[in-house]
Amino acid sequence: MARRTTSNSSGSSPGSAGSPGPRNRTPQPLPRRRRTAGDFVKAFLAFVALLVLLVGVPGALALQIGWPLPSGAPSTEWLQQEITVGTFINVLTVVVWLAWAQFTACVLVEMKAALSGVGLPNRVPGAGPSQLLARQLVAALLLVGAAAASFTPGLSQLGQQLEGNQRPAVAAAAQQTPGGLLAQQQAQTAASAAALAEQAADAAAHAESGSGQVSEDATKFYRIQPPEGRHHDSLWEVAERHLGDGRRYKEIYQLNKDRAQPDGSKLSEASLIRPGWIMEMPGDARGGELVEMPDEAPKVSPDVQRQISDYARTGAQEQGRPGQQGAGQQGGGSGAQDRDTAHISLPEQRPGQGQQGQQGGQEHAAPAAGEGSGFGLPQALLGAPLLAAGLLGALGRRRRQALWQSALGAVGGRRGMEPPTPTGAAADAQDALLVGADPEGVRLLDRSLRGLAASLAGESRPLPTVYAAWMGGNGDLHLQLAQPAGRPPSPWQLGQDQTFWMLARADAERYEDVDTAAPYPGLVSLGTMDDSRLLLNLESVPGIVSLSGREQDRAGVFASVAAELATNGWSDRMTITLVGFGEDLTPLAPNRLRHLDDVEALVETMEAETRQRRGALGAAGQDSVLTGRTGPAQHTRWAPHLVLLAAEPSAEDAVKLAELAADASRLGIGYLVGTQSGDLPGAAWEMEITSEGKLLAPLLGLELDAQLLPVSQQRAVVELFTDADPERDDDRPATAPPFLVDISEQGRPAVYARLVGPYEIIGLDTPDGERSPLLHEALALLLLHREGVHPRVLSSALWPRGVTDDVRDALVERLRAWLGADPDGTPRLAADATGRLKLAKSVVSDLDVLRSLYHEATQGRGAGSRAVRGRLLTDALVLVRGPLLAERPEGRYGWLTHEIIDAQLPLLVADIGLALSAFHLEKDRAAKAIEALDAALGSAPGDERLWHELLRATHATGDSDRLKRRAADLVARSGARGLPPRTEALLDELLPTWRSGVAAAG
C-alpha cells in the first residue's frame, strides 16, 4: 500500500531533516477583499482621531491648564490648605495625562504588532478598553495600506512553518507571517517580476534542443503570487485553478521539489511555498498567469529566458526525469509516492502483519446490509469500534445507576428493577453497539497511554505533543509526535522516523492499570485509511480545525466526534461545548457535554476560560497542560475543553475565535469549526467531508473513510440513554420481568438451565466434541435475553475476533438440533419476524423462575396473602446458589461485561432477602430473619441495606455480644474506606459503644 511519511523520515529531503519545530501549521487563505471608498473614509477618520488623541489632548492640556503638579516639594501647610476648584482641576488633569500616556502606550504596542505581524500584541496593564480602542483605530488606519495584511491579532502566528533548510525556528516563523513579509515585499515584488521572466529562459533551450513541444506537451511555468490582504497562495489552489482539481497539487510538488528557486531556497514541503518562486506545471495546465514555453519565450527578455533555462535544467538534472509530466501521471501513482507533504502520516506497518491485520480488521468490518439473516444493522455503529465501546460502556453505567437508585425505593414493586427492552431502531442500535464495540481495544489504548505517561514521569521527562494516534489492523499503536522527542521509554519503540513512537499489541497487553492522569484525552476517531484508524488529538492542534462540506455531512462528523469524546474510555474528565448542534446529545454524558445557543455566548465563555487557564498555568509554574499531567504536578489533572462549533461563525466571530485559538493547544483547548466555504480565519488544519463519506485533508495527506453518526442512528442511541435515565419521571408502570414462567406444578419446563451458581442443564444430553462449550455459552446468552438475540450479536459474543457467516450459521443449526422441538413439533429455537433468535417458553432458567417468584410474591397472589408471600419468597431464596455462572471457563463469557445482569442479580437477591426478613420480623421471628439475610448476603455481600436489616434483626434478639461480632465483621469488610455514614449512624443508635468494643470483639 502507499505510504505517507513526514519529511522527518529517513527518506526525506535534506533540508527538512533538522526541523525542530512543529510542521503542521499550513497557511490558510482568507477571503480576498477589495478596498472601498468606505475603507478610505474610515482610515481618514481613524487618522484624525489618533491625531486628536495623541497630539491634540496633550497640546490642549499644556496650553489651557499648564503644569498641574506643585512647583516644589509638598509641605504640611500645603496639605492643610483649602481644597478649591483649581485643586480639583489639577487632579483631573493628572488623571487625563495618565490616561493619555496609557493610550499612547496602547497605540505603540498595537502599531508594533501590526507592522511586525509576529505574535499577539502585548497587553498594557489595566488598559482593556483603551487598548481595544487603539487596536480598532490602528486597524482602520492600516486598512488601506500593505500593513493591513498582518493586522488580525492572534492570527499572525498561525500558519507558521520552517521555510528554510538552515533557518532557526523563530526567524523562519517571523518570516512566514504576512507582517514579517512586509519588510521584504518590495524586494520580492521586483524579484518576482524577474522570476516570471526567468520562467521563459527554458524556451530557447527547449526550442533549440527540440525537447519542447507546442500544445499539450509544452512546458509551462507559474509564479507563486504574493499575498493580497492576508491571502497566501498554495499548491492546492494553483492545482484547482490551472489543473481543475486541487488534489493534483502533488503533481506540481513532485515536479518542483528540491529544486533551487530564484532566492536560493528549495521547495521541501507541499504546504510551504513563497511568493516569487517558480513552479513548473504539468503539460495540461490551463488558464492565465501561466508562461508557456517555448511559445511565449519571445515575450520575455533574454535574461529571463536564461534564468528559466537554468531552472528547467535543475529539473532535468537533479530529478533525473524529463521536464514535462503528463496529466495522467498522478502524484499518488506508483513510483511517485509523496513522502514529504504529509503532516499526519500513515505509519508503516511491521513486516508480516498483513494476514493478522486482515483478520483483525474482519472483526469490526461493516457488512453489507441484509447480510446473513436477511436484514442489516446500522453501518456507522458497526464500523466505529471505539465509539461503540464507549457508548456501550456509558449505557451500561447509566442502567446500573438507574438500578442502584431504584434500590433506594420501596422493597416491593418499584419501577426500574427491569430496564425497558429497546424496540425498533433503538434495538437495532443496541445490537450494532454489541457487534461493533471493541472494549479490549479501548482498554489497551487507555493502559498504553497511561503507562507511557507513568514511564515518562519516572524518567522526569515531559509528555511529547502528540498530533495523532494510529491503531493498526494488527493492534499496534502508533503515536505521531509534533516533533522528535528522543527515544521512547520501553516497551515503546521508535517507528518509521523520529516523530513516530510505536507499541506492539503484545507489549500493550502486558501493561497493567496505573494511577496516573490520562495524558491525551482529546484523541478522537476520524476514520480509517488502509486498515488503520486515525485518532486526531484535537487538544494539540495549533489553532482551529475547520470542517467543510454539506451541512448534513458535517452533522454526521460532529455527532460522531461529540459522542466519542463524551463516552471514551481513555480520558478522565473533560468539558465538551457544543454550539449549533447537539442539544439532544447531552443525555449521553450530562457531566461532560454542554450546549450553548450561539457563537456570541461561546466567545464570551471561551474568553473567560482562556484567561482563567492562562492564570492557572502561570500560578502553577507550568508552561502547558501536558507538563501539568505528569510528574510531581499530575495531581493538577488539567482537563481539556473541546469546542465543537457546527454553525459557521460570522467574519467578526471567526476572527475572535482565531485569536482565542492561537494559544489554545498550550492551554488544553481545542476547536473544531464547521464552514460551508472552507475559508476560515485561523484554520491550522482544513478538512472536508464529501457526500460519499470521505474525509479529505489534502495538505495533511489524508483521505479517510470518515467515521459518522447519522441523524437516524444518533436518535436511536439517544433513545437508549433517555430510556435508561434514572432521573426520568414519567407515568410508566412498574416494569415486570421480560419473561414470566408458570411456577405451578403444571408448568414444569422441558429444558431447565441453572445459571445462578454453577452452570447446569437439565433435560438435554451433553453434546459431544469441541462445540459443547460454544453451545452452552450460546444457550446462556439466549436465556439472558428472552426478547431475542440478533445472529450477529451471537456471533460477536462467541467469537470476539470475528468468524465467517457459515461457521456462525452452522453453530445455530447445531444449537437448534440440540434443543430439539416441543411435542407439538414447534422448534425450541426459532427466529422472530425481525430475524432475532428466540427460545421457546419450554426452555427456562432458574433466573426466570427467580424473577417470576419474586414478582408473584410482591405484585401477584402474594401481595394479598401473607402465607403465599412467605412461601414464594422462601422458594425463591432457595434457588440462589451463588453468583451468576459461577466456575465458568476462563477466557469465555466475555460478553457479560456488556450486561447489567451482574448488577441486577445481587439487587434481586437482596430484595428477596429483605422481603423475607420483613415477613419474619412481622411475627418477631428474628432468628429466621437473620437466616434469610445471611443467605442473601452470600450473593449480595456489598448491599448496605442487607447489613442494616441484619443489625436490626440481631439487635432484636437482645444478644449484645452477637451484635458486637456483627459490627466487628462489618468494620472488617469495609476496609480502609471505612463505614458509610448511614451505617455508622445506625450502629450509634443500636450499639453506642461499638467504636470502643469492636476491636475487642474482633
Side-chain angles (χ1 to χ4, degrees):
M1 65 182 176
R3 310 289 187 195
R4 293 178 171 86
T5 64
T6 67
S7 60
N8 286 336
S9 66
S10 56
S12 65
S13 62
S16 61
S19 299
R23 306 173 54 258
N24 67 317
R25 304 184 178 187
T26 59
Q28 302 303 319
L30 292 181
R32 297 180 181 268
R33 185 178 186 275
R34 297 180 179 273
R35 298 179 181 87
T36 64
D39 294 335
F40 288 94
V41 173
K42 291 179 182 178
F44 175 75
L45 294 177
F47 173 76
V48 173
L50 286 173
L51 190 65
V52 171
L53 292 173
L54 297 181
V55 180
V57 169
L61 290 174
L63 293 176
Q64 300 298 326
I65 307 297
W67 184 253
L69 299 177
S71 56
S75 62
T76 306
E77 296 179 357
W78 180 79
L79 294 174
Q80 294 175 350
Q81 290 179 359
E82 182 181 358
I83 299 177
T84 64
V85 175
T87 305
F88 274 112
I89 292 176
N90 287 336
V91 171
L92 292 176
T93 302
V94 172
V95 173
V96 174
W97 273 108
L98 292 176
W100 172 83
Q102 185 186 60
F103 179 75
T104 303
C106 293
V107 172
L108 294 176
V109 166
E110 295 296 330
M111 187 69 74
K112 176 181 178 296
L115 293 177
S116 66
V118 180
L120 288 169
N122 295 324
R123 296 186 181 274
V124 178
S130 297
Q131 190 162 3
L132 180 59
L133 175 61
R135 181 177 306 173
Q136 293 172 344
L137 292 176
V138 173
L141 179 62
L142 298 182
L143 185 63
V144 296
S150 66
F151 192 77
T152 307
L155 299 184
S156 56
Q157 68 266 45
L158 296 177
Q160 295 171 6
Q161 293 264 346
L162 295 177
E163 64 174 274
N165 296 332
Q166 289 84 26
R167 294 172 187 250
V170 176
Q175 294 180 16
Q176 280 295 106
T177 58
L181 290 173
L182 290 176
Q184 309 171 23
Q185 212 160 60
Q186 290 183 348
Q188 281 192 348
T189 302
S192 299
L196 178 61
E198 288 174 16
Q199 293 175 359
D202 192 37
H206 281 280
E208 294 173 0
S209 62
S211 59
Q213 295 181 14
V214 184
S215 72
E216 192 71 16
D217 295 330
T219 305
K220 302 167 186 177
F221 295 90
Y222 174 79
R223 177 180 62 89
I224 302 301
Q225 302 296 320
E228 176 181 335
R230 281 192 53 83
H231 181 86
H232 286 265
D233 215 345
S234 68
L235 291 188
W236 176 274
E237 291 180 316
V238 172
E240 198 167 52
R241 287 197 304 268
H242 300 294
L243 298 177
D245 185 358
R247 299 185 184 93
R248 294 184 62 187
Y249 76 95
K250 294 183 181 180
E251 298 180 42
I252 306 175
Y253 171 75
Q254 292 293 338
L255 281 170
N256 296 276
K257 71 173 182 176
D258 299 330
R259 296 169 63 177
Q261 293 292 334
D263 61 0
S265 54
K266 296 181 180 180
L267 173 67
S268 59
E269 298 181 16
S271 58
L272 178 54
I273 56 178
R274 299 176 59 188
W277 279 6
I278 301 169
M279 293 292 113
E280 183 178 341
M281 301 291 290
D284 62 332
R286 290 290 181 269
E289 303 173 341
L290 293 178
V291 175
E292 187 169 336
M293 300 298 295
D295 288 355
E296 299 183 4
K299 299 179 182 180
V300 295
S301 67
D303 290 339
V304 172
Q305 294 180 23
R306 183 178 64 254
Q307 292 173 358
I308 289 186
S309 177
D310 293 341
Y311 182 78
R313 279 197 295 270
T314 63
Q317 295 171 1
E318 296 180 12
Q319 301 295 330
R321 51 164 174 68
Q324 300 88 354
Q325 181 171 333
Q329 189 175 342
Q330 300 291 337
S334 60
Q337 294 180 6
D338 180 2
R339 293 186 170 272
D340 303 301
T341 61
H343 298 294
I344 301 297
S345 310
L346 184 66
E348 294 184 2
Q349 305 297 324
R350 295 182 296 127
Q353 67 85 34
Q355 186 174 359
Q356 182 181 1
Q358 292 175 1
Q359 183 179 357
Q362 180 182 359
E363 177 181 347
H364 299 291
E371 179 184 1
S373 62
F375 66 102
L377 293 176
Q379 303 302 306
L381 295 175
L382 291 174
L386 304 184
L387 169 61
L391 289 171
L392 200 59
L395 181 60
R397 291 190 294 271
R398 180 68 55 83
R399 287 173 171 171
R400 286 180 175 85
Q401 183 183 3
L403 285 174
W404 294 328
Q405 288 191 213
S406 70
L408 302 177
V411 171
R414 66 172 182 270
R415 179 167 56 86
M417 185 62 206
E418 300 293 339
T421 301
T423 58
D428 289 341
Q430 178 173 277
D431 287 340
L433 293 177
L434 290 168
V435 174
D438 182 15
E440 179 67 10
V442 171
R443 185 181 68 86
L444 291 179
L445 176 62
D446 182 47
R447 286 187 173 184
S448 300
L449 295 177
R450 293 181 193 266
L452 174 63
S455 299
L456 290 171
E459 299 177 6
S460 298
R461 296 172 59 187
L463 280 169
T465 300
V466 169
Y467 281 158
W470 290 92
M471 297 186 69
N474 59 352
D476 291 351
L477 176 62
H478 302 256
L479 297 183
Q480 187 164 358
L481 314 183
Q483 57 189 21
R487 294 200 63 84
S490 179
W492 290 78
Q493 308 169 27
L494 282 176
Q496 62 202 49
D497 58 44
Q498 294 290 325
T499 61
F500 273 95
W501 285 3
M502 190 272 291
L503 180 69
R505 182 185 178 95
D507 294 327
E509 290 173 343
R510 290 195 287 269
Y511 266 121
E512 297 181 354
D513 292 330
V514 293
D515 184 18
T516 189
Y520 305 112
L523 287 169
V524 63
S525 303
L526 292 184
T528 57
M529 181 168 67
D530 294 348
D531 294 329
S532 292
R533 183 169 301 277
L534 171 66
L535 289 85
L536 182 67
N537 191 4
L538 282 178
E539 185 187 14
S540 71
V541 178
I544 293 174
V545 178
S546 71
L547 178 66
S548 61
R550 297 188 308 172
E551 183 177 359
Q552 59 268 37
D553 298 324
R554 299 200 313 266
V557 176
F558 273 102
S560 171
V561 169
E564 185 169 300
L565 287 173
T567 61
N568 73 54
W570 54 88
S571 62
D572 298 319
R573 57 188 178 90
M574 69 172 67
T575 300
I576 308 163
T577 299
L578 311 179
V579 185
F581 83 108
E583 186 173 7
D584 55 338
L585 288 175
T586 52
L588 302 184
N591 295 330
R592 284 192 180 187
L593 290 172
R594 173 177 66 178
H595 180 266
L596 295 180
D597 294 331
D598 50 42
V599 181
E600 182 179 356
L602 173 67
V603 171
E604 181 179 354
T605 300
M606 297 314 299
E607 285 177 343
E609 176 91 3
T610 300
R611 286 194 301 268
Q612 181 183 6
R613 290 192 172 227
R614 282 175 179 158
L617 279 179
Q622 306 292 336
D623 58 354
S624 73
V625 294
L626 284 180
T627 57
R629 289 184 184 154
T630 56
Q634 68 169 319
H635 64 277
T636 309
R637 306 248 173 175
W638 301 98
H641 186 166
L642 303 176
V643 176
L644 308 181
L645 173 56
E648 184 167 7
S650 65
E652 181 180 358
D653 289 332
V655 170
K656 292 179 180 178
L657 287 174
E659 183 177 10
L660 290 171
D663 197 28
S665 60
R666 185 178 70 89
L667 304 176
I669 302 175
Y671 293 87
L672 176 63
V673 180
T675 173
Q676 184 71 32
S677 62
D679 292 332
L680 188 68
W685 290 344
E686 288 187 339
M687 299 186 298
E688 177 191 358
I689 179 67
T690 69
S691 57
E692 292 78 21
K694 293 290 185 179
L695 190 65
L696 309 178
L699 295 181
L700 299 179
L702 295 179
E703 185 173 340
L704 304 172
D705 293 322
Q707 178 172 297
L708 305 171
L709 185 59
V711 174
S712 58
Q713 298 177 32
Q714 173 184 329
R715 290 172 179 167
V717 169
V718 171
E719 181 181 341
L720 293 173
F721 279 79
T722 53
D723 285 346
D725 187 359
E727 303 295 335
R728 180 173 178 177
D729 186 17
D730 54 24
D731 298 329
R732 288 179 301 174
T735 52
F739 178 67
L740 293 175
V741 300
D742 184 358
I743 55 177
S744 65
E745 287 295 328
Q746 292 75 27
R748 289 182 175 274
V751 178
Y752 182 67
R754 306 178 73 180
L755 305 179
V756 185
Y759 190 4
E760 298 177 10
I761 298 179
I762 300 172
L764 292 176
D765 295 332
T766 302
D768 298 329
E770 60 183 11
R771 294 292 181 182
S772 177
L774 281 173
L775 292 174
H776 279 75
E777 187 174 356
L779 179 58
L781 178 62
L782 290 166
L783 286 167
L784 293 178
H785 290 277
R786 303 301 307 220
E787 73 278 8
V789 177
H790 192 289
R792 298 204 61 199
V793 174
L794 178 67
S795 174
S796 65
L798 300 181
W799 293 281
R801 295 186 179 274
V803 73
T804 58
D805 291 348
D806 56 344
V807 173
R808 178 199 64 202
D809 295 341
L811 178 78
V812 171
E813 290 304 319
R814 289 190 183 96
L815 181 61
R816 184 177 285 112
W818 181 42
L819 292 174
D822 288 332
D824 60 358
T826 303
R828 292 173 181 153
L829 177 64
D832 63 7
T834 67
R836 289 174 171 82
L837 301 171
K838 296 184 66 173
L839 294 171
K841 293 184 177 181
S842 58
V843 182
V844 173
S845 72
D846 55 354
L847 184 59
D848 297 327
V849 177
L850 189 67
R851 287 168 168 162
S852 300
L853 287 170
Y854 178 69
H855 181 266
E856 187 69 17
T858 56
Q859 301 180 45
R861 291 180 295 123
S865 171
R866 185 178 184 281
V868 172
R869 182 169 70 256
R871 177 175 57 81
L872 293 175
L873 291 174
T874 302
D875 291 345
L877 202 56
V878 170
L879 292 177
V880 181
R881 300 175 300 124
L884 184 74
L885 294 171
E887 304 174 5
R888 57 181 177 266
E890 184 178 358
R892 301 216 63 86
Y893 297 87
W895 46 270
L896 281 173
T897 58
H898 300 318
E899 307 285 342
I900 63 167
I901 185 61
D902 60 336
Q904 284 178 300
L905 180 59
L907 284 175
L908 176 61
V909 174
D911 285 346
I912 294 172
L914 290 170
L916 189 56
S917 171
F919 171 81
H920 289 304
L921 288 177
E922 287 176 0
K923 297 295 184 180
D924 295 326
R925 294 195 293 263
K928 287 287 187 181
I930 292 174
E931 182 180 345
L933 293 169
D934 280 334
L937 280 170
S939 294
D943 198 306
E944 187 180 356
R945 299 171 302 156
L946 290 176
W947 282 102
H948 289 176
E949 291 303 314
L950 185 59
L951 290 174
R952 292 189 180 98
T954 305
H955 180 265
T957 64
D959 190 343
S960 59
D961 291 336
R962 188 176 184 182
L963 182 59
K964 289 179 181 178
R965 289 194 297 272
R966 290 289 189 186
D969 187 19
L970 184 55
V971 170
R973 285 173 178 267
S974 65
R977 296 176 300 174
L979 294 175
R982 286 187 298 181
T983 305
E984 287 190 354
L986 180 60
L987 283 174
D988 289 336
E989 175 188 345
L990 302 178
L991 188 64
T993 61
W994 70 274
R995 287 183 171 83
S996 58
V998 160

